Amino acid sequence: MVDLFADLVGQHEAVETLRRAAASAARVVAGESVPAGAMTHAWIFTGPPGSGRSVAARAFAAALECERDGIGCGECHGCHTALGRTHADVRFVVPEGLSIGVGEMRALVLRAASAPSGGRWQVVVIEDADRLTEQAGNALLKAIEEPPPRTVFLLCTPSTHPDDISVTIRSRCRVVPLRQPPADAVAEVLVRRDGIKPDVAAWAAAAAQGHVGRAKRLANDDEARARREAVLAVPRRLSSVGACFDAASALIAAAEAEAAAAVVESDSSERAALEQALGAGGTGRGAASAMRGAAGQLKDLERRQKSRATRSQRDALDRALVDLAGFYRDVLITKLQAPVPVVHTDTAQQSEAAADKWTAESTLRRLEAILACRDAIEQNVKPKIAVEAMMLSLWRG
Ligand SMILES: [Zn+2]
């Protein structure tokens, strides 16, 4: 037997939840009664990129279609076709460049309401549910509010933040949070899947603190490595109040630059694709109303791109703060002689020197200052203010 959930590295709780639900779903199919809540019609898979959101959704879809009592054998026709994206009752929504529009969503909801041809479940997998337009989200919400008896919606989003998924959809779904996988598992993936050398993979996985995509970037991308080195140079630069403010400005500017680089390409290709799609309209009857619709679509795209840019900046700054926290954590575990490996092997000399100089208490205060800064930004404190306060605490200890 093949384990459908094998690719979900380090996600024991999520896998357990999904297995139990799939078993209950199989009992529903068999005509047995199950306790309320044992099976749910709408799910949201959240987690950072690389944590396996769509892998989890696809494995769960296969388990729902599994012909051997929903165990997800990985071998029957139901499992095979669901995994291979060819199952008649499993539909995948993957926006290519553009958002998921209302027309597409309405058609999907309509088809999903029909009885499953295989007699089990109609499954709709929405891989980037954070890219639903507002109207598409409303169309989906109606279906989730009154789900057909054998229809299951599986949504994947980075988080349940209102920027990613509407509060009303969220309130109707069961959330499966996925964590970042452990470093050794990430290294193994980099070697096996991406052909990265084992020593580079091990370094990058540790430095990325379990984030698969970031580990791959660190292994392959010189600029990503340079940005990380600049962040890790911060502790050495904090020698005066002025230096603290300089370091804060530099950190925020670097996060903005990284975010801009990340979104500029997809922004322009999305806009070009939309304009091309709209330009295909004629000048005959209905062209004027089509143009009014086009203006709305462009505005919608711009709004989403702006919100994605903000999120991207927040993510980049947060990654920098996580790197920085890793350094102070290294100082603390060195100081306490804790038997765990350091995160940043390449700044081990600096963290050892700092461990000689600082007390454990002052190191802990520095670490707490970084966590407080992350919390403050999460709660919408202006990043500049939060980061400046943090730098002063890091300097004074
Ligand atoms: Zn099966």
Side-chain angles (χ1 to χ4, degrees):
M1 206 177 100
V2 183
D3 183 5
L4 279 183
F5 296 101
D7 279 353
L8 281 170
V9 184
Q11 316 287 355
H12 304 295
E13 278 168 52
V15 169
E16 190 54 33
T17 300
L18 297 174
R19 279 195 212 280
R20 269 203 304 272
S24 299
R27 291 180 57 196
V28 171
V29 170
E32 297 170 33
S33 65
V34 298
M39 177 53 192
T40 312
H41 288 269
W43 298 72
I44 297 179
F45 296 87
T46 66
S51 59
R53 296 181 307 240
S54 60
V55 176
R58 195 147 49 119
F60 187 45
L64 288 173
E65 303 297 355
C66 178
E67 288 149 19
R68 296 182 190 162
D69 295 333
I71 51 170
C73 68
E75 287 164 344
C76 71
H77 182 71
C79 281
H80 253 287
T81 49
L83 286 178
R85 297 174 180 254
T86 56
H87 195 291
D89 295 331
V90 184
R91 293 188 178 80
F92 292 88
V93 184
V94 188
E96 294 284 351
L98 289 174
S99 58
I100 307 169
V102 64
E104 191 181 352
M105 188 50 64
R106 281 197 188 125
L108 195 76
V109 163
L110 203 62
R111 268 182 303 166
S114 61
S117 62
R120 302 192 73 86
W121 299 89
Q122 286 278 10
V123 184
V124 177
V125 182
I126 303 174
E127 296 204 354
D128 289 286
D130 54 313
R131 304 180 76 172
L132 289 166
T133 63
E134 205 178 318
Q135 299 97 313
N138 288 338
L140 176 64
L141 178 64
K142 283 206 191 87
I144 290 178
E145 278 177 331
E146 287 166 34
R150 288 289 187 84
T151 303
V152 180
F153 293 92
L154 308 180
L155 282 58
C156 306
T157 76
S159 76
T160 52
H161 191 279
D163 280 355
D164 287 336
I165 195 85
S166 85
V167 176
T168 38
I169 291 182
R170 153 79 189 82
S171 70
R172 301 279 173 171
C173 295
R174 186 158 168 194
V175 178
V176 179
L178 301 172
R179 304 186 262 264
Q180 288 176 359
D184 52 352
V186 174
E188 191 267 330
V189 169
L190 294 187
V191 172
R192 174 167 52 85
R193 187 191 65 190
D194 304 316
I196 293 165
K197 283 190 201 142
D199 55 336
V200 177
W203 166 80
Q209 303 183 54
H211 186 308
V212 179
R214 173 140 171 83
K216 189 178 170 187
R217 263 199 307 282
L218 285 176
N220 288 331
D221 179 353
D222 291 342
E223 280 183 33
R225 271 202 294 273
R227 277 193 295 265
R228 171 180 167 277
E229 274 161 25
V231 168
L232 291 178
V234 163
R236 275 172 280 160
R237 291 175 53 190
L238 303 178
S239 54
S240 66
V241 172
C244 288
F245 285 113
D246 288 348
S249 303
L251 196 68
I252 286 168
E256 282 171 357
E258 183 177 346
V263 298
V264 69
E265 206 173 303
S266 52
D267 275 5
S268 58
S269 63
E270 275 177 6
R271 195 185 169 91
L274 180 58
E275 282 172 347
Q276 197 185 11
L278 298 172
T283 51
R285 280 167 69 93
S289 79
M291 279 316 292
R292 280 195 296 277
Q297 284 184 55
L298 272 174
K299 221 173 129 191
D300 196 37
L301 181 68
E302 280 165 10
R303 186 182 55 76
R304 274 180 297 109
Q305 288 183 340
K306 188 159 172 271
S307 119
R308 184 171 61 195
T310 307
R311 192 175 75 210
S312 181
Q313 270 176 28
R314 208 189 294 164
D315 289 351
L317 183 56
D318 197 59
R319 268 198 300 279
L321 293 174
V322 169
D323 279 348
L324 204 53
F327 175 81
Y328 291 96
R329 174 193 167 281
D330 287 349
V331 175
L332 192 63
I333 62 170
T334 306
K335 184 90 197 166
L336 300 176
Q337 296 180 311
V340 288
V342 293
V343 166
H344 302 300
T345 47
D346 44 355
T347 52
Q349 265 187 324
Q350 282 98 305
S351 52
E352 278 163 28
D356 282 341
K357 207 165 59 182
W358 300 337
T359 63
E361 290 74 18
S362 79
T363 308
L364 197 56
R365 281 197 296 275
R366 289 177 167 100
L367 195 50
E368 280 167 351
I370 298 173
L371 302 181
C373 176
R374 293 180 72 195
D375 285 347
I377 292 170
E378 185 68 37
Q379 282 157 33
N380 283 327
V381 172
K382 218 167 163 250
K384 189 171 187 294
I385 292 170
V387 172
E388 283 173 355
M390 177 194 77
M391 291 295 185
L392 289 169
S393 301
L394 291 181
W395 172 47
R396 291 185 182 128

